[in-house]
Every structure is written in C-alpha cells, then in structure tokens.
Amino acid sequence: MRPREPSLPRRPFRDSAIFYGVLAVMIVVVTIVTDGGLVKGLAIAIGFFVIATGWSWWRFRQRLDERSE
C-alpha cells in the first residue's frame, strides 16, 4: 500500500512566497543580531528567497502537470 500523496494547498504559489519571505526576514534579523552585517544578511536572504521560492514553484508546477495528465 502506497502512502497517500498530500494535497496541494489552495494557493500554493502565494503561500510558499510568504513562507520563504518570512524565513528570509528571519535570516536578516539573525545576521544583524549576531553582528554578521546587514549587507551580508540581505545578500544571503535574497539568494535564499529566490532559490527556495523558485524550487518550490517548480515542484508545484510539476505536481499540477502530473495531475492534469
């Protein structure tokens, strides 16, 4: 018996962008609090947000395409 595949959220693209945006803000805050520097924290957070959101959207698109076949 295969485990049941989780269903997609109602708005997966928006939800993932908000989630990764919050995590990116947390990266900046932690970097500032630990004296890592604002510029370095912003660079890491922007890179994280772009890569994580892009990967998430790509995976959602794959799942949607599989369901439409």
Side-chain angles (χ1 to χ4, degrees):
M1 181 181 283
R2 289 180 51 194
R4 191 170 153 204
E5 187 175 321
S7 63
L8 285 174
R10 219 171 125 198
R11 294 187 172 109
F13 299 108
R14 183 198 67 178
D15 293 348
S16 64
I18 291 171
F19 176 71
Y20 291 126
V22 169
L23 289 180
V25 169
M26 290 174 60
I27 289 172
V28 172
V29 169
V30 168
T31 306
I32 291 172
V33 169
T34 59
D35 292 329
L38 176 64
V39 175
K40 184 177 181 180
L42 283 173
I44 293 169
I46 290 170
F48 165 78
F49 179 79
V50 169
I51 291 169
T53 305
W55 182 83
S56 181
W57 288 4
W58 175 66
R59 291 294 297 150
F60 283 133
R61 177 56 53 201
Q62 280 186 329
R63 286 176 62 187
L64 289 172
D65 289 344
E66 287 175 3
R67 287 183 178 191
S68 66
E69 292 178 351

